[in-house]
PDB file of all heavy atoms in Angstrom:
ATOM      1  N   ALA X   7     156.980 144.270 139.930  1.00  0.00           N
ATOM      2  CA  ALA X   7     156.016 144.060 141.022  1.00  0.00           C
ATOM      3  C   ALA X   7     155.788 142.603 141.364  1.00  0.00           C
ATOM      4  O   ALA X   7     155.722 141.743 140.492  1.00  0.00           O
ATOM      5  CB  ALA X   7     154.673 144.703 140.665  1.00  0.00           C
ATOM      6  N   GLY X   8     155.650 142.360 142.674  1.00  0.00           N
ATOM      7  CA  GLY X   8     155.187 141.070 143.172  1.00  0.00           C
ATOM      8  C   GLY X   8     153.677 141.124 143.311  1.00  0.00           C
ATOM      9  O   GLY X   8     152.989 141.675 142.436  1.00  0.00           O
ATOM     10  N   GLY X   9     153.175 140.605 144.419  1.00  0.00           N
ATOM     11  CA  GLY X   9     151.729 140.535 144.620  1.00  0.00           C
ATOM     12  C   GLY X   9     151.179 141.714 145.401  1.00  0.00           C
ATOM     13  O   GLY X   9     151.099 142.832 144.872  1.00  0.00           O
ATOM     14  N   ILE X  10     150.866 141.484 146.674  1.00  0.00           N
ATOM     15  CA  ILE X  10     150.113 142.471 147.456  1.00  0.00           C
ATOM     16  C   ILE X  10     150.828 143.824 147.576  1.00  0.00           C
ATOM     17  O   ILE X  10     150.235 144.869 147.317  1.00  0.00           O
ATOM     18  CB  ILE X  10     149.819 141.924 148.876  1.00  0.00           C
ATOM     19  CG1 ILE X  10     149.012 140.617 148.772  1.00  0.00           C
ATOM     20  CG2 ILE X  10     149.082 142.955 149.707  1.00  0.00           C
ATOM     21  CD1 ILE X  10     148.723 139.974 150.119  1.00  0.00           C
ATOM     22  N   GLY X  11     152.117 143.775 147.960  1.00  0.00           N
ATOM     23  CA  GLY X  11     152.851 145.032 148.140  1.00  0.00           C
ATOM     24  C   GLY X  11     152.942 145.797 146.827  1.00  0.00           C
ATOM     25  O   GLY X  11     152.776 147.019 146.778  1.00  0.00           O
ATOM     26  N   GLY X  12     153.210 145.076 145.768  1.00  0.00           N
ATOM     27  CA  GLY X  12     153.318 145.688 144.452  1.00  0.00           C
ATOM     28  C   GLY X  12     151.987 146.254 143.992  1.00  0.00           C
ATOM     29  O   GLY X  12     151.895 147.403 143.540  1.00  0.00           O
ATOM     30  N   ALA X  13     150.949 145.456 144.118  1.00  0.00           N
ATOM     31  CA  ALA X  13     149.626 145.848 143.620  1.00  0.00           C
ATOM     32  C   ALA X  13     149.086 147.077 144.348  1.00  0.00           C
ATOM     33  O   ALA X  13     148.551 148.004 143.737  1.00  0.00           O
ATOM     34  CB  ALA X  13     148.653 144.680 143.763  1.00  0.00           C
ATOM     35  N   ARG X  14     149.240 147.078 145.668  1.00  0.00           N
ATOM     36  CA  ARG X  14     148.725 148.226 146.440  1.00  0.00           C
ATOM     37  C   ARG X  14     149.482 149.492 146.086  1.00  0.00           C
ATOM     38  O   ARG X  14     148.904 150.571 145.979  1.00  0.00           O
ATOM     39  CB  ARG X  14     148.816 147.928 147.937  1.00  0.00           C
ATOM     40  CG  ARG X  14     147.821 146.864 148.328  1.00  0.00           C
ATOM     41  CD  ARG X  14     147.539 146.841 149.798  1.00  0.00           C
ATOM     42  NE  ARG X  14     146.427 145.942 150.041  1.00  0.00           N
ATOM     43  CZ  ARG X  14     146.183 145.310 151.175  1.00  0.00           C
ATOM     44  NH1 ARG X  14     146.997 145.487 152.202  1.00  0.00           N
ATOM     45  NH2 ARG X  14     145.142 144.522 151.305  1.00  0.00           N
ATOM     46  N   ASN X  34     156.078 139.492 138.632  1.00  0.00           N
ATOM     47  CA  ASN X  34     156.758 138.263 139.037  1.00  0.00           C
ATOM     48  C   ASN X  34     155.917 137.038 138.689  1.00  0.00           C
ATOM     49  O   ASN X  34     154.729 136.987 139.019  1.00  0.00           O
ATOM     50  CB  ASN X  34     156.996 138.299 140.550  1.00  0.00           C
ATOM     51  CG  ASN X  34     157.553 136.994 141.077  1.00  0.00           C
ATOM     52  OD1 ASN X  34     158.423 136.389 140.451  1.00  0.00           O
ATOM     53  ND2 ASN X  34     157.046 136.556 142.215  1.00  0.00           N
ATOM     54  N   ASP X  37     156.180 132.835 141.455  1.00  0.00           N
ATOM     55  CA  ASP X  37     155.236 132.237 142.420  1.00  0.00           C
ATOM     56  C   ASP X  37     154.235 131.313 141.732  1.00  0.00           C
ATOM     57  O   ASP X  37     153.383 130.733 142.390  1.00  0.00           O
ATOM     58  CB  ASP X  37     154.399 133.331 143.101  1.00  0.00           C
ATOM     59  CG  ASP X  37     155.200 134.158 144.081  1.00  0.00           C
ATOM     60  OD1 ASP X  37     156.437 134.087 144.042  1.00  0.00           O
ATOM     61  OD2 ASP X  37     154.575 134.879 144.877  1.00  0.00           O
ATOM     62  N   ASP X  49     150.801 136.320 141.567  1.00  0.00           N
ATOM     63  CA  ASP X  49     151.190 137.734 141.609  1.00  0.00           C
ATOM     64  C   ASP X  49     150.570 138.530 140.456  1.00  0.00           C
ATOM     65  O   ASP X  49     150.074 139.650 140.660  1.00  0.00           O
ATOM     66  CB  ASP X  49     152.713 137.882 141.618  1.00  0.00           C
ATOM     67  CG  ASP X  49     153.307 137.557 142.991  1.00  0.00           C
ATOM     68  OD1 ASP X  49     152.532 137.220 143.911  1.00  0.00           O
ATOM     69  OD2 ASP X  49     154.539 137.643 143.149  1.00  0.00           O
ATOM     70  N   THR X  52     147.003 139.077 141.437  1.00  0.00           N
ATOM     71  CA  THR X  52     146.822 140.069 142.504  1.00  0.00           C
ATOM     72  C   THR X  52     146.904 141.485 141.926  1.00  0.00           C
ATOM     73  O   THR X  52     146.100 142.353 142.277  1.00  0.00           O
ATOM     74  CB  THR X  52     147.871 139.849 143.620  1.00  0.00           C
ATOM     75  OG1 THR X  52     147.609 138.581 144.226  1.00  0.00           O
ATOM     76  CG2 THR X  52     147.802 140.929 144.679  1.00  0.00           C
ATOM     77  N   TRP X 159     155.472 128.972 151.720  1.00  0.00           N
ATOM     78  CA  TRP X 159     154.839 130.201 152.189  1.00  0.00           C
ATOM     79  C   TRP X 159     153.458 129.931 152.776  1.00  0.00           C
ATOM     80  O   TRP X 159     153.128 130.372 153.870  1.00  0.00           O
ATOM     81  CB  TRP X 159     154.721 131.138 150.990  1.00  0.00           C
ATOM     82  CG  TRP X 159     154.751 132.610 151.265  1.00  0.00           C
ATOM     83  CD1 TRP X 159     153.725 133.482 151.048  1.00  0.00           C
ATOM     84  CD2 TRP X 159     155.850 133.393 151.754  1.00  0.00           C
ATOM     85  NE1 TRP X 159     154.115 134.751 151.363  1.00  0.00           N
ATOM     86  CE2 TRP X 159     155.413 134.730 151.804  1.00  0.00           C
ATOM     87  CE3 TRP X 159     157.151 133.091 152.149  1.00  0.00           C
ATOM     88  CZ2 TRP X 159     156.240 135.769 152.228  1.00  0.00           C
ATOM     89  CZ3 TRP X 159     157.968 134.130 152.578  1.00  0.00           C
ATOM     90  CH2 TRP X 159     157.507 135.436 152.619  1.00  0.00           C
ATOM     91  N   PRO X 199     157.282 148.485 147.139  1.00  0.00           N
ATOM     92  CA  PRO X 199     157.700 147.767 148.355  1.00  0.00           C
ATOM     93  C   PRO X 199     157.331 146.287 148.279  1.00  0.00           C
ATOM     94  O   PRO X 199     156.626 145.776 149.138  1.00  0.00           O
ATOM     95  CB  PRO X 199     156.944 148.500 149.470  1.00  0.00           C
ATOM     96  CG  PRO X 199     155.733 149.049 148.808  1.00  0.00           C
ATOM     97  CD  PRO X 199     156.150 149.387 147.400  1.00  0.00           C
ATOM     98  N   SER X 200     157.796 145.618 147.254  1.00  0.00           N
ATOM     99  CA  SER X 200     157.561 144.180 147.083  1.00  0.00           C
ATOM    100  C   SER X 200     158.689 143.404 147.737  1.00  0.00           C
ATOM    101  O   SER X 200     159.745 143.963 148.055  1.00  0.00           O
ATOM    102  CB  SER X 200     157.495 143.837 145.594  1.00  0.00           C
ATOM    103  OG  SER X 200     156.259 144.222 145.031  1.00  0.00           O
ATOM    104  N   ASN X 201     158.464 142.124 147.916  1.00  0.00           N
ATOM    105  CA  ASN X 201     159.484 141.271 148.532  1.00  0.00           C
ATOM    106  C   ASN X 201     160.781 141.314 147.702  1.00  0.00           C
ATOM    107  O   ASN X 201     160.772 140.986 146.517  1.00  0.00           O
ATOM    108  CB  ASN X 201     158.946 139.837 148.612  1.00  0.00           C
ATOM    109  CG  ASN X 201     159.841 138.935 149.427  1.00  0.00           C
ATOM    110  OD1 ASN X 201     161.036 138.850 149.190  1.00  0.00           O
ATOM    111  ND2 ASN X 201     159.258 138.277 150.411  1.00  0.00           N
ATOM    112  N   PRO X 202     161.899 141.735 148.336  1.00  0.00           N
ATOM    113  CA  PRO X 202     163.144 141.923 147.583  1.00  0.00           C
ATOM    114  C   PRO X 202     163.733 140.613 147.056  1.00  0.00           C
ATOM    115  O   PRO X 202     164.493 140.627 146.096  1.00  0.00           O
ATOM    116  CB  PRO X 202     164.107 142.531 148.607  1.00  0.00           C
ATOM    117  CG  PRO X 202     163.317 142.795 149.827  1.00  0.00           C
ATOM    118  CD  PRO X 202     162.040 142.062 149.763  1.00  0.00           C
ATOM    119  N   SER X 205     160.070 138.327 145.039  1.00  0.00           N
ATOM    120  CA  SER X 205     159.309 139.063 144.026  1.00  0.00           C
ATOM    121  C   SER X 205     160.275 139.817 143.102  1.00  0.00           C
ATOM    122  O   SER X 205     160.521 139.396 141.980  1.00  0.00           O
ATOM    123  CB  SER X 205     158.311 140.032 144.671  1.00  0.00           C
ATOM    124  OG  SER X 205     157.299 139.319 145.366  1.00  0.00           O
ATOM    125  N   LEU X 229     161.160 151.531 147.050  1.00  0.00           N
ATOM    126  CA  LEU X 229     160.507 151.845 148.332  1.00  0.00           C
ATOM    127  C   LEU X 229     160.677 150.643 149.245  1.00  0.00           C
ATOM    128  O   LEU X 229     160.474 149.496 148.819  1.00  0.00           O
ATOM    129  CB  LEU X 229     159.015 152.142 148.132  1.00  0.00           C
ATOM    130  CG  LEU X 229     158.709 153.351 147.252  1.00  0.00           C
ATOM    131  CD1 LEU X 229     158.478 152.922 145.805  1.00  0.00           C
ATOM    132  CD2 LEU X 229     157.481 154.092 147.766  1.00  0.00           C
ATOM    133  N   SER X 230     161.024 150.893 150.491  1.00  0.00           N
ATOM    134  CA  SER X 230     161.322 149.786 151.395  1.00  0.00           C
ATOM    135  C   SER X 230     160.074 149.031 151.838  1.00  0.00           C
ATOM    136  O   SER X 230     159.123 149.632 152.334  1.00  0.00           O
ATOM    137  CB  SER X 230     162.049 150.291 152.642  1.00  0.00           C
ATOM    138  OG  SER X 230     162.304 149.190 153.489  1.00  0.00           O
ATOM    139  N   PRO X 231     160.097 147.702 151.699  1.00  0.00           N
ATOM    140  CA  PRO X 231     159.010 146.885 152.245  1.00  0.00           C
ATOM    141  C   PRO X 231     159.241 146.590 153.734  1.00  0.00           C
ATOM    142  O   PRO X 231     158.365 146.030 154.390  1.00  0.00           O
ATOM    143  CB  PRO X 231     159.107 145.594 151.431  1.00  0.00           C
ATOM    144  CG  PRO X 231     160.549 145.477 151.084  1.00  0.00           C
ATOM    145  CD  PRO X 231     161.092 146.891 150.968  1.00  0.00           C
ATOM    146  N   ILE X 232     160.421 146.987 154.210  1.00  0.00           N
ATOM    147  CA  ILE X 232     160.783 146.736 155.611  1.00  0.00           C
ATOM    148  C   ILE X 232     160.673 148.059 156.364  1.00  0.00           C
ATOM    149  O   ILE X 232     161.238 149.065 155.955  1.00  0.00           O
ATOM    150  CB  ILE X 232     162.233 146.221 155.724  1.00  0.00           C
ATOM    151  CG1 ILE X 232     162.456 144.989 154.829  1.00  0.00           C
ATOM    152  CG2 ILE X 232     162.610 145.944 157.175  1.00  0.00           C
ATOM    153  CD1 ILE X 232     161.754 143.731 155.265  1.00  0.00           C
ATOM    154  N   ILE X 233     159.934 148.034 157.467  1.00  0.00           N
ATOM    155  CA  ILE X 233     159.797 149.226 158.307  1.00  0.00           C
ATOM    156  C   ILE X 233     160.123 148.824 159.747  1.00  0.00           C
ATOM    157  O   ILE X 233     159.562 147.843 160.255  1.00  0.00           O
ATOM    158  CB  ILE X 233     158.369 149.821 158.232  1.00  0.00           C
ATOM    159  CG1 ILE X 233     158.061 150.279 156.787  1.00  0.00           C
ATOM    160  CG2 ILE X 233     158.206 150.985 159.216  1.00  0.00           C
ATOM    161  CD1 ILE X 233     156.681 150.928 156.609  1.00  0.00           C
ATOM    162  N   ALA X 236     161.230 145.072 160.307  1.00  0.00           N
ATOM    163  CA  ALA X 236     160.331 143.939 160.033  1.00  0.00           C
ATOM    164  C   ALA X 236     159.495 144.226 158.796  1.00  0.00           C
ATOM    165  O   ALA X 236     159.208 145.379 158.489  1.00  0.00           O
ATOM    166  CB  ALA X 236     159.423 143.696 161.239  1.00  0.00           C
ATOM    167  N   PRO X 237     159.106 143.172 158.089  1.00  0.00           N
ATOM    168  CA  PRO X 237     158.201 143.388 156.962  1.00  0.00           C
ATOM    169  C   PRO X 237     156.876 143.943 157.486  1.00  0.00           C
ATOM    170  O   PRO X 237     156.473 143.607 158.596  1.00  0.00           O
ATOM    171  CB  PRO X 237     157.987 141.995 156.373  1.00  0.00           C
ATOM    172  CG  PRO X 237     158.841 141.055 157.133  1.00  0.00           C
ATOM    173  CD  PRO X 237     159.387 141.760 158.328  1.00  0.00           C
ATOM    174  N   VAL X 238     156.236 144.786 156.693  1.00  0.00           N
ATOM    175  CA  VAL X 238     154.971 145.370 157.139  1.00  0.00           C
ATOM    176  C   VAL X 238     153.903 144.284 157.227  1.00  0.00           C
ATOM    177  O   VAL X 238     153.018 144.305 158.058  1.00  0.00           O
ATOM    178  CB  VAL X 238     154.520 146.467 156.152  1.00  0.00           C
ATOM    179  CG1 VAL X 238     153.168 147.034 156.570  1.00  0.00           C
ATOM    180  CG2 VAL X 238     155.557 147.566 156.093  1.00  0.00           C
ATOM    181  N   ARG X 239     154.023 143.323 156.353  1.00  0.00           N
ATOM    182  CA  ARG X 239     153.009 142.298 156.229  1.00  0.00           C
ATOM    183  C   ARG X 239     153.732 141.093 155.658  1.00  0.00           C
ATOM    184  O   ARG X 239     154.563 141.224 154.792  1.00  0.00           O
ATOM    185  CB  ARG X 239     152.015 142.837 155.200  1.00  0.00           C
ATOM    186  CG  ARG X 239     150.624 142.356 155.239  1.00  0.00           C
ATOM    187  CD  ARG X 239     149.896 142.823 153.994  1.00  0.00           C
ATOM    188  NE  ARG X 239     149.024 141.726 153.612  1.00  0.00           N
ATOM    189  CZ  ARG X 239     147.713 141.783 153.661  1.00  0.00           C
ATOM    190  NH1 ARG X 239     147.095 142.888 153.984  1.00  0.00           N
ATOM    191  NH2 ARG X 239     147.000 140.737 153.349  1.00  0.00           N
ATOM    192  N   GLY X 240     153.444 139.925 156.167  1.00  0.00           N
ATOM    193  CA  GLY X 240     154.067 138.731 155.595  1.00  0.00           C
ATOM    194  C   GLY X 240     155.384 138.384 156.253  1.00  0.00           C
ATOM    195  O   GLY X 240     155.679 138.845 157.360  1.00  0.00           O
ATOM    196  N   ALA X 242     158.740 138.337 154.797  1.00  0.00           N
ATOM    197  CA  ALA X 242     159.895 138.602 153.940  1.00  0.00           C
ATOM    198  C   ALA X 242     161.213 138.387 154.681  1.00  0.00           C
ATOM    199  O   ALA X 242     162.221 138.011 154.076  1.00  0.00           O
ATOM    200  CB  ALA X 242     159.836 140.026 153.385  1.00  0.00           C
ATOM    201  N   LEU X 295     155.618 155.375 154.809  1.00  0.00           N
ATOM    202  CA  LEU X 295     155.530 154.309 153.799  1.00  0.00           C
ATOM    203  C   LEU X 295     154.445 153.283 154.107  1.00  0.00           C
ATOM    204  O   LEU X 295     154.480 152.173 153.569  1.00  0.00           O
ATOM    205  CB  LEU X 295     156.877 153.585 153.641  1.00  0.00           C
ATOM    206  CG  LEU X 295     158.015 154.308 152.914  1.00  0.00           C
ATOM    207  CD1 LEU X 295     159.185 153.340 152.662  1.00  0.00           C
ATOM    208  CD2 LEU X 295     157.557 154.924 151.595  1.00  0.00           C
ATOM    209  N   LEU X 296     153.505 153.631 154.966  1.00  0.00           N
ATOM    210  CA  LEU X 296     152.423 152.679 155.225  1.00  0.00           C
ATOM    211  C   LEU X 296     151.282 152.913 154.240  1.00  0.00           C
ATOM    212  O   LEU X 296     150.715 154.002 154.168  1.00  0.00           O
ATOM    213  CB  LEU X 296     151.913 152.825 156.656  1.00  0.00           C
ATOM    214  CG  LEU X 296     152.682 152.053 157.729  1.00  0.00           C
ATOM    215  CD1 LEU X 296     152.083 152.315 159.104  1.00  0.00           C
ATOM    216  CD2 LEU X 296     152.721 150.555 157.433  1.00  0.00           C
ATOM    217  N   MET X 297     150.929 151.868 153.501  1.00  0.00           N
ATOM    218  CA  MET X 297     149.894 152.006 152.469  1.00  0.00           C
ATOM    219  C   MET X 297     148.510 151.801 153.081  1.00  0.00           C
ATOM    220  O   MET X 297     147.820 150.833 152.796  1.00  0.00           O
ATOM    221  CB  MET X 297     150.142 151.004 151.342  1.00  0.00           C
ATOM    222  CG  MET X 297     151.497 151.219 150.665  1.00  0.00           C
ATOM    223  SD  MET X 297     151.742 150.238 149.179  1.00  0.00           S
ATOM    224  CE  MET X 297     152.135 148.644 149.884  1.00  0.00           C
ATOM    225  N   THR X 298     148.125 152.742 153.933  1.00  0.00           N
ATOM    226  CA  THR X 298     146.861 152.587 154.662  1.00  0.00           C
ATOM    227  C   THR X 298     145.639 152.782 153.767  1.00  0.00           C
ATOM    228  O   THR X 298     144.616 152.155 153.968  1.00  0.00           O
ATOM    229  CB  THR X 298     146.801 153.575 155.848  1.00  0.00           C
ATOM    230  OG1 THR X 298     147.384 154.816 155.418  1.00  0.00           O
ATOM    231  CG2 THR X 298     147.610 153.056 157.027  1.00  0.00           C
ATOM    232  N   MET X 306     153.074 158.340 148.612  1.00  0.00           N
ATOM    233  CA  MET X 306     154.333 157.578 148.530  1.00  0.00           C
ATOM    234  C   MET X 306     154.834 157.563 147.090  1.00  0.00           C
ATOM    235  O   MET X 306     156.033 157.727 146.833  1.00  0.00           O
ATOM    236  CB  MET X 306     154.115 156.119 148.968  1.00  0.00           C
ATOM    237  CG  MET X 306     153.940 155.941 150.455  1.00  0.00           C
ATOM    238  SD  MET X 306     153.324 154.270 150.898  1.00  0.00           S
ATOM    239  CE  MET X 306     154.465 153.189 150.053  1.00  0.00           C
TER     240      MET X 306
HETATM  241  P1  LIG O   1     153.380 139.235 147.685  1.00  0.00           P
HETATM  242  O1  LIG O   1     153.864 138.669 146.377  1.00  0.00           O
HETATM  243  O2  LIG O   1     151.902 139.149 147.842  1.00  0.00           O
HETATM  244  O3  LIG O   1     154.154 138.749 148.858  1.00  0.00           O
HETATM  245  O4  LIG O   1     153.619 140.798 147.571  1.00  0.00           O
HETATM  246  P2  LIG O   1     154.895 141.676 147.240  1.00  0.00           P
HETATM  247  O5  LIG O   1     156.126 140.864 147.089  1.00  0.00           O
HETATM  248  O6  LIG O   1     154.536 142.604 146.150  1.00  0.00           O
HETATM  249  O7  LIG O   1     154.981 142.542 148.557  1.00  0.00           O
HETATM  250  C1  LIG O   1     155.227 141.943 149.808  1.00  0.00           C
HETATM  251  C2  LIG O   1     155.863 142.981 150.692  1.00  0.00           C
HETATM  252  O8  LIG O   1     154.992 144.105 150.783  1.00  0.00           O
HETATM  253  C3  LIG O   1     156.096 142.513 152.102  1.00  0.00           C
HETATM  254  O9  LIG O   1     157.473 142.267 152.280  1.00  0.00           O
HETATM  255  C4  LIG O   1     155.623 143.680 152.955  1.00  0.00           C
HETATM  256  O10 LIG O   1     156.584 144.071 153.900  1.00  0.00           O
HETATM  257  C5  LIG O   1     155.360 144.778 151.957  1.00  0.00           C
HETATM  258  N1  LIG O   1     154.255 145.633 152.351  1.00  0.00           N
HETATM  259  C6  LIG O   1     152.962 145.283 152.529  1.00  0.00           C
HETATM  260  N2  LIG O   1     152.238 146.344 152.934  1.00  0.00           N
HETATM  261  C7  LIG O   1     153.110 147.395 153.003  1.00  0.00           C
HETATM  262  C8  LIG O   1     152.972 148.774 153.374  1.00  0.00           C
HETATM  263  O11 LIG O   1     151.899 149.265 153.718  1.00  0.00           O
HETATM  264  N3  LIG O   1     154.110 149.541 153.313  1.00  0.00           N
HETATM  265  C9  LIG O   1     155.328 149.029 152.945  1.00  0.00           C
HETATM  266  N4  LIG O   1     156.373 149.844 152.912  1.00  0.00           N
HETATM  267  N5  LIG O   1     155.480 147.736 152.599  1.00  0.00           N
HETATM  268  C10 LIG O   1     154.387 146.937 152.629  1.00  0.00           C
END
Side-chain angles (χ1 to χ4, degrees):
I10 301 178
R14 290 199 171 155
N34 173 41
D37 288 15
D49 284 0
T52 295
W159 209 245
S200 284
N201 189 308
S205 294
L229 298 95
S230 179
I232 306 290
I233 298 182
V238 177
R239 205 190 142 113
L295 286 189
L296 275 179
M297 300 189 282
T298 39
M306 286 167 52

